[in-house]
Amino acid sequence: MPDTQALVMTFLTSLKNATARQTAELLRSVISQQRVPYTNQAGALIDAVKAVGEQLIAANPVELAVGNIVRRVLHIIREEDLSLTTAAIGELNLSAVSDDENDDDRDGNTTLSAAAVAAAARSTLRPPSLQTLLEDTPVSAAVPQTSSSGAADKSSRSRKLKHDVIEAVNELIQDIVTCHEQIAEQAVEHIHQNEVILTLGSSRTVSEFLFAAKEKKRSFRVFVAEGAPRYQGHLLAKELVARGLQTTLITDSAVFAMISRVNMVIVGAHAVMANGGVIAPVGMNLVALAAQKHAVPFVVLAGSHKLCPLYPHNPEVLLNELRSPSELLDFGEFSDCMDFGSGSGSPLLHVVNPAFDYVPPKLVSLFITDAGGHNPSYMYRLIADYYSADDLVVQRRAIAGN
Amino acid sequence: MWHRSASFILDKNQNDTVYPADSVTLTPPPPSSISTPQNPNPNLNRNMSMSAYYQTRAAHHGVVTSDWLAQSQEAATRAVATGGQEIVDGGKSGRAFSVIDEFNNWRKQPDLAEAVAAIRALAAVIRNSEAKTMMELEIELKKASDSLKSWDTTSISLTAGCDLFMRYVTRTSALEYEDFNSARSRLIERAEKFGEISYKARKIIAMLSQDFIFDGCTILVHGFSRVVMEVLKMAAQNKKLFRVLCTEGRPDRSGLRLANELAKLDVPVKLLIDSAVAYTMDEVDMVFVGADGVVESGGIINMMGTYQIALVAHSMNKPVYVAAESYKFARLYPLDQKDMGPALRPIDFGVPIPSKVEVETSARDYTPPQYLTLLFTDLGVLTPSVVSDELIQLYL
């Protein structure tokens, strides 16, 4: 474990540039270095990942992608464990049928408990639903003990679980890396001839999306809102011109004036919440409101690693980051207004520089993810596919008697 | 019953002929296997058939009204008179056991949810049944469940609870490795456990909603819902600072009872008359209501006045949160307010009303999903669109 601890520490210090991919790679090394016992291996892996995940999330709660990846990996572990268990039970049933001479009762009991346990395991993986409301709460710890019989069986299963999980995490990393391409593939369906697209700030997903449409010989124009105070819209405008796209640069305040000439708004997101709300760079809410007022479709591009299973209850405050005022003001000119020594000891001029905006789901027309295009009210389905209900709160429980 | 024409004069003429016949059909048909004293529509009130569900709720939570007292007196005297006629012929009642009686007993407890009472009554049916095979047991249960549902057609959680239990029985009765007795005892055990599930459900809902109640917020509450009470109780225990605006909730005046309970918890409460909701809506941060039933569209059916409050809240951009247990999900899809079966409650105005003045006595309304923000259920926090998904999964 000391190796992993060192890895985690370096990761935490560099969390400013943390990306989903780095989180996944870190968790992969945690899993591969984790020594698993023979029984309840999934539990051991889950605990190890939760322990690291807790630290990662606590270090920067606003960076939601980190938490998302931790939960994805936990879900992967549970899924792989379940598929291995059901496979093992299938084999066990065959073997139980074959030797029916002695211990008829024991075999009967084993088959009964195995079938019940498989059903129970199935229901633990699915979130609680109306169907399972009346059923017994399953005993999760009993799963590997009752079903695994031979010693050879056990060791092969232990190797297999880690191997399967690491393979699945590799697939996850692959998905994260290629999400831009998968989203860009859908560009041709949404951008048609002679359209005017509006975007704000700069997002790699959006630029790849636009380039892909350009490749397919669509002719369109782009309005880029500069995205104060970081002015990343300027960089995007340069890139677009380099690719031969007709671009118009406007200030954020001019969005409302220009929106009536726009056919579609395409933006990226920092995170997508479970209710379909979007955490996006500051200024996005006013673009969304302007688009709604003029009935312009507001399309959000987001890779599936940005999908967060939490419901926002105060996103403007809790999921926001306040950045340095120097991005707004030149300190040299305003230093006397911001003096703590004058008057009552608190400066008269406060500068607030939030990094993110919350766009409520009713303003979003369409989400384009690497899994296709969806309605905001459909987001919960993708969440049910990618995450387990047990992992919403990533906390290592104090285990009594494992 | 289909009052669609704008010409109320025509309607009035039709009503005079149609109404007496209607009132007969509104009361449940008197089947031979159900003892009549427990009929929720006493013969006294033929013209104004009453919803037993809302009557019971008023008994639990509302302030006692004079006409409620009069009716209960009627029912009591009649019960004494016809007490000897309880044994009637018919399948299960031949054993002097009526599922309706059982249900009523359970329902009297104020802390018990309708659906739990229904499932406990069905468990009692299993216990008293003499069936020897699962098929027989299922048929008996189906009959009992149907009689329960037809006894009070207005209660959604009763119907939903019965359906849920029947589904569970049908799904699990096909397990081959069980013999009949163990299956039977398992069913009884699960039914008894359901009471715990329901109680746990309230706790889960309370925990999920804690994050949404922040310090210094003002919550508007309508109607007396035990789930919402649990939510507010837990928030008060977690030392959150909030205040509650409570509507009076005519005609049950359940808001008064709620205000009492909240005052006991030292939560600042302010009572409003129902018409004052729009007046105070701008100082409200969120609206919290319970639900009598959650329908397939994602909307809710709740005490009369909920739709009004949701409309006002929506127009002022205030979130409307619903706290409902998952067994209240029902397979209904009302297209408008009148699309559900009527559930009528008599309203006591305090002064006599001339008989040619009509009174709107419906006890509940339907709030469409676009006015609701989130539903807190024991299945998790859901947006209204998730509800139909859950229901489809259940009945697929």
Side-chain angles (χ1 to χ4, degrees):
Chain A
M1 275 293 268
D3 292 322
T4 18
Q5 212 38 35
L7 276 173
V8 171
M9 279 302 131
T10 40
F11 186 79
L12 286 176
T13 47
S14 71
L15 206 62
K16 193 165 171 277
N17 302 321
T19 61
R21 195 183 92 203
Q22 290 169 345
T23 319
E25 286 167 354
L26 172 68
L27 290 176
R28 183 180 55 188
S29 22
V30 167
I31 292 173
S32 60
Q33 291 179 13
Q34 173 73 15
R35 261 179 248 108
V36 284
Y38 272 146
T39 52
N40 204 5
Q41 310 149 13
L45 283 179
I46 288 176
D47 279 339
V49 172
K50 269 194 183 175
V52 175
E54 234 184 303
Q55 290 177 314
L56 295 176
I57 295 176
N60 194 355
V62 176
E63 188 59 57
L64 292 165
V66 172
N68 296 346
I69 297 300
V70 171
R71 293 183 184 99
R72 285 287 287 269
V73 171
L74 288 171
H75 182 75
I76 286 173
I77 298 175
R78 288 178 210 272
E79 261 193 352
E80 293 297 329
D81 185 45
L82 178 63
S83 60
L84 276 181
T85 315
T86 34
I89 283 172
E91 293 162 14
L92 179 67
N93 275 340
L94 290 176
S95 60
V97 164
S98 55
D99 59 342
D100 48 11
E101 296 142 2
N102 326 322
D103 344 55
D104 262 353
D105 258 8
R106 195 174 64 85
D107 280 346
N109 280 346
T110 332
T111 354
L112 165 65
S113 60
V117 142
R122 262 195 298 281
S123 65
T124 46
L125 197 64
R126 258 184 308 146
S129 73
L130 278 173
Q131 277 184 301
T132 57
L133 199 61
L134 276 160
E135 281 166 26
D136 241 328
T137 45
V139 181
S140 51
V143 175
Q145 280 146 2
T146 49
S147 47
S148 45
S149 40
D153 203 24
K154 277 186 193 172
S155 59
S156 64
R157 272 197 67 226
S158 74
R159 279 199 303 275
K160 235 180 159 305
L161 177 66
K162 254 174 102 168
H163 173 77
D164 285 348
V165 168
I166 292 184
E167 252 188 39
V169 174
N170 281 335
E171 272 178 37
L172 174 63
I173 295 175
Q174 208 42 34
D175 277 342
I176 296 172
V177 165
T178 58
C179 76
H180 300 295
E181 280 119 60
Q182 292 185 353
I183 292 177
E185 273 168 19
Q186 304 170 49
V188 210
E189 298 158 15
H190 297 281
I191 300 182
H192 305 290
Q193 289 291 83
N194 297 328
E195 289 213 328
V196 181
I197 315 261
L198 176 78
T199 186
L200 183 127
S202 164
S203 157
R204 189 175 148 205
T205 327
V206 172
S207 45
E208 302 261 339
F209 195 79
L210 296 175
F211 297 157
K214 180 83 171 103
E215 293 298 309
K216 299 279 168 57
K217 309 284 186 265
R218 297 279 196 256
S219 74
F220 56 97
R221 303 174 47 204
V222 185
F223 280 24
V224 180
E226 59 186 4
R230 303 179 74 190
Y231 299 111
Q232 293 189 326
H234 298 179
L235 301 171
L236 178 66
K238 263 187 104 156
E239 284 176 30
L240 291 174
V241 167
R243 289 290 192 118
L245 279 167
Q246 172 76 41
T247 314
T248 310
L249 189 65
I250 56 174
T251 60
D252 298 347
S253 352
V255 165
F256 219 112
M258 307 298 264
I259 194 94
S260 47
R261 304 177 208 195
V262 167
N263 294 118
M264 187 175 1
V265 177
I266 300 182
V267 295
H270 172 75
V272 178
M273 311 303 293
N275 64 343
V278 183
I279 309 286
V282 66
M284 208 57 82
N285 201 4
L286 69 90
V287 176
L289 284 166
Q292 189 199 40
K293 190 97 183 17
H294 290 261
V296 174
F298 187 82
V299 177
V300 177
L301 309 179
S304 54
H305 60 274
K306 293 192 175 163
L307 191 58
C308 179
L310 303 173
Y311 279 87
H313 45 89
N314 196 359
E316 294 86 355
V317 172
L318 297 177
L319 293 175
N320 216 333
E321 212 186 299
L322 293 177
R323 303 172 65 89
S324 159
S326 60
E327 290 180 2
L328 261 65
L329 295 178
D330 178 24
F331 187 66
E333 282 182 35
F334 286 87
S335 54
D336 46 351
C337 302
M338 313 217 331
D339 190 3
F340 273 82
S342 67
S344 56
S346 144
L348 284 175
L349 181 64
H350 284 260
V351 180
V352 179
N353 186 6
F356 298 118
D357 235 346
Y358 174 69
V359 180
K362 61 180 186 213
L363 298 177
V364 180
S365 312
L366 184 69
F367 279 104
I368 299 183
T369 67
D370 41 0
H374 299 295
N375 219 317
S377 56
Y378 189 75
M379 284 295 119
Y380 70 91
R381 281 287 240 146
L382 295 179
I383 286 168
D385 282 342
Y386 293 148
Y387 302 103
S388 311
D390 294 332
D391 301 329
L392 281 188
V393 179
V394 178
Q395 251 176 13
R396 203 170 23 150
R397 283 186 299 261
I399 302 164
N402 194 9
Chain B
M1 280 205 294
W2 221 54
H3 307 296
R4 282 280 174 265
S5 82
S7 163
F8 50 83
I9 300 180
L10 266 179
D11 276 352
K12 184 170 169 310
N13 288 337
Q14 276 181 358
N15 271 349
D16 289 338
T17 50
V18 168
Y19 206 65
D22 261 1
S23 63
V24 170
T25 54
L26 278 175
T27 67
S32 55
S33 53
I34 298 180
S35 42
T36 29
Q38 306 301 330
N39 189 316
N41 302 307
N43 297 323
L44 171 72
N45 270 4
R46 274 287 170 207
N47 271 349
M48 209 188 322
S49 44
M50 273 209 303
S51 158
Y53 176 63
Y54 286 97
Q55 201 180 357
T56 325
R57 282 195 74 84
H60 289 169
H61 310 307
V63 178
V64 172
T65 60
S66 52
D67 52 23
W68 183 88
L69 271 177
Q71 281 148 27
S72 55
Q73 201 131 39
E74 267 291 335
T77 50
R78 198 176 314 114
V80 166
T82 58
Q85 294 178 14
E86 287 216 3
I87 318 281
V88 288
D89 60 307
K92 56 175 175 21
S93 322
R95 291 182 297 277
F97 166 78
S98 163
V99 67
I100 309 288
D101 291 340
E102 191 72 26
F103 178 59
N104 265 332
N105 284 340
W106 284 113
R107 186 193 232 184
K108 290 284 178 358
Q109 297 178 27
D111 220 21
L112 212 60
E114 279 280 297
V116 180
I119 292 187
R120 290 237 171 114
L122 290 177
V125 167
I126 301 181
R127 228 182 274 118
N128 287 328
S129 109
E130 292 165 356
K132 289 288 173 294
T133 63
M134 278 310 284
M135 265 318 252
E136 235 185 294
L137 188 59
E138 262 184 67
I139 294 176
E140 269 190 44
L141 276 177
K142 186 96 187 32
K143 257 202 295 192
S145 146
D146 285 342
S147 63
L148 264 182
K149 285 200 265 191
S150 61
W151 179 75
D152 184 4
T153 51
T154 61
S155 170
I156 295 180
S157 33
L158 168 58
T159 314
C162 286
D163 280 344
L164 199 69
F165 193 67
M166 285 313 300
R167 258 210 96 60
Y168 175 63
V169 170
T170 338
R171 269 182 61 227
T172 57
S173 64
L175 291 171
E176 292 149 6
Y177 54 83
E178 264 186 333
D179 68 297
F180 177 65
N181 281 325
S182 59
R184 215 183 115 173
S185 46
R186 178 177 53 85
L187 286 178
I188 294 180
E189 187 227 339
R190 293 321 297 162
E192 315 273 87
K193 278 274 164 59
F194 190 72
E196 279 178 35
I197 295 175
S198 140
Y199 180 66
K200 253 198 315 188
R202 285 192 207 150
K203 285 265 177 274
I204 295 175
I205 293 172
M207 278 194 324
L208 284 173
S209 23
Q210 287 313 297
D211 273 338
F212 288 79
I213 300 179
F214 50 89
D215 278 332
C217 69
T218 304
I219 305 180
L220 178 68
V221 184
H222 179 69
F224 189 98
S225 160
R226 289 166 288 217
V227 190
V228 176
M229 199 55 227
E230 186 69 38
V231 171
L232 297 176
K233 221 191 286 187
M234 198 181 269
Q237 282 165 0
N238 289 339
K239 304 273 187 281
K240 294 216 178 179
L241 304 168
F242 61 98
R243 80 183 168 123
V244 177
L245 299 181
C246 197
T247 56
E248 191 194 358
R250 293 264 303 152
D252 314 340
R253 292 184 281 154
S254 44
L256 303 181
R257 167 81 187 260
L258 180 70
N260 267 342
E261 297 288 321
L262 286 171
K264 283 188 214 156
L265 297 170
D266 278 332
V267 173
V269 187
K270 186 166 167 181
L271 266 175
L272 319 163
I273 54 172
D274 299 336
S275 348
V277 167
Y279 178 76
T280 50
M281 188 55 86
D282 58 349
E283 44 180 69
V284 163
D285 290 310
M286 66 188 83
V287 179
F288 242 107
V289 291
D292 289 333
V294 179
V295 295
E296 239 176 291
S297 58
I300 57 167
I301 296 184
N302 199 18
M303 181 169 144
M304 179 63 80
T306 311
Y307 183 30
Q308 199 158 286
I309 294 180
L311 274 170
V312 175
H314 187 253
S315 72
M316 298 203 196
N317 273 325
K318 310 285 182 185
V320 177
Y321 297 129
V322 176
E325 300 100 310
S326 60
Y327 52 76
K328 289 181 177 162
F329 287 15
R331 276 203 96 186
L332 293 170
Y333 205 113
L335 298 172
D336 59 17
Q337 297 302 320
K338 311 288 189 297
D339 213 6
M340 314 170 279
L344 306 177
R345 278 264 308 139
I347 302 185
D348 181 17
F349 287 105
V351 290
I353 307 284
S355 52
K356 50 188 173 163
V357 173
E358 269 186 69
V359 178
E360 175 61 62
T361 50
S362 179
R364 60 190 183 182
D365 60 21
Y366 162 63
T367 307
Q370 60 260 35
Y371 302 114
L372 305 175
T373 317
L374 286 177
L375 286 105
F376 299 116
T377 70
D378 47 322
L379 304 178
V381 181
L382 311 174
T383 50
S385 45
V386 181
V387 173
S388 48
D389 213 43
E390 277 293 327
L391 278 168
I392 290 173
Q393 275 180 22
L394 177 65
Y395 286 100
L396 210 53

